[in-house]
Amino acid sequence: ARGQEGTIYIDDGNELEFFEVLEMIRPDVVLTGPRVGALVKKLHLPYVNGHGYHNGPYMGFEGAVNMARDLYNAIYSPLMQLAAFDVRDDAPKAPAKTKEIEHLNEKVTNITTYIQERCLWQFHSRAWDREENINGVIKKAAELLRGERSVQETLTGKLHYADAKILVSELKRNLPWIKELDKERVKSVLESVKQNLVGIAISGSLNGEL
């Protein structure tokens, strides 16, 4: 009665039935115990061993942090990427999707490095000020690169637009491949750049006064 539409119930299912369900729904991550986890690994799916004596504990606020840590480690484990390779191949090649992700990550790094070396708007005096500038300039830059009409209703918005216009012009001149990105990739790349900048200039900063 508590189950929502689409919920799958298995009563004491065997290994083949479990595999069938996993192949059908392809979950992002599986929370299970160590014995079932051994089966999940065969399908190259990330999993978290939910037994508190192996990971966790998962109780209370600290438990929520532990769960986030274990989910992150499971999903982004290098083993999940290595699992895509066929070890029988003398010269294994990464799947096309993996190569595309690597290329986009490289572009994110290039733009982040360029901004870090040349743009002062990311280093204002306080954390909220830095975040406002980073979010504002990157948002305006994305609009310009995507060919969207940008509206500046406030003085701060006009300032962000001015900085973004200079940034986009410099990126097009120094990183010409950026002009070849479609709208979705522009959005994805700049969103990752924004997260990198926030991590470097704010959350990862050693400046205690921020």
Side-chain angles (χ1 to χ4, degrees):
R2 293 193 297 268
Q4 299 179 358
E5 183 178 354
T7 302
I8 299 173
Y9 293 92
I10 304 176
D11 181 22
D12 196 21
N14 58 45
E15 181 177 328
L16 291 178
E17 290 174 326
F18 189 58
F19 275 165
E20 183 180 356
V21 172
L22 290 177
E23 286 282 12
M24 178 175 62
I25 63 177
R26 298 302 297 181
D28 295 315
V29 64
V30 178
L31 279 72
T32 181
R35 285 181 294 177
V36 176
L39 305 179
V40 171
K41 284 189 290 187
K42 294 180 181 180
L43 296 179
H44 304 162
L45 293 172
Y47 83 98
V48 172
N49 180 359
H51 290 202
Y53 49 82
H54 284 150
N55 294 308
Y58 299 131
M59 183 170 60
F61 292 106
E62 184 178 350
V65 175
N66 291 339
M67 174 60 73
R69 176 202 64 200
D70 293 341
L71 284 171
Y72 181 92
N73 289 339
I75 294 171
Y76 293 101
S77 168
L79 290 176
M80 289 298 105
Q81 299 179 17
L82 291 174
F85 295 109
D86 188 343
V87 295
R88 297 169 297 181
D89 190 352
D90 291 335
K93 299 178 181 178
K97 187 174 182 181
T98 301
K99 288 184 178 180
E100 182 182 357
I101 292 173
E102 290 176 355
H103 290 157
L104 289 178
N105 288 340
E106 183 180 354
K107 289 174 170 54
V108 169
T109 300
N110 289 341
I111 297 175
T112 302
T113 301
Y114 191 90
I115 293 174
Q116 281 276 286
E117 292 175 350
R118 293 169 175 83
C119 301
L120 292 176
W121 43 259
Q122 61 185 309
F123 293 123
H124 279 221
S125 60
R126 292 292 181 264
W128 66 267
D129 206 2
R130 292 187 177 191
E131 189 166 12
E132 182 181 52
N133 275 347
I134 292 171
N135 290 339
V137 174
I138 295 299
K139 178 183 178 183
K140 296 297 182 183
E143 291 174 354
L144 289 170
L145 286 169
R146 287 158 60 96
E148 299 173 352
R149 183 171 179 271
S150 185
V151 179
Q152 287 64 247
E153 298 179 345
T154 64
L155 291 176
T156 301
K158 292 179 180 180
L159 177 62
H160 293 162
Y161 178 76
D163 285 329
K165 200 164 184 179
I166 296 172
L167 174 63
V168 168
S169 176
E170 292 182 351
L171 289 178
K172 286 181 176 179
R173 183 172 64 252
N174 294 281
L175 303 174
W177 48 258
I178 200 169
K179 293 181 285 188
E180 301 173 3
L181 297 179
D182 60 34
K183 290 185 178 182
E184 284 306 310
R185 282 181 173 78
V186 166
K187 180 179 179 181
S188 175
V189 167
L190 288 189
E191 180 63 29
S192 297
V193 169
K194 182 178 73 176
Q195 293 174 6
N196 282 353
L197 293 175
V198 170
I200 294 168
I202 302 174
S203 56
S205 174
L206 299 179
N207 182 358
E209 293 185 359
L210 278 176

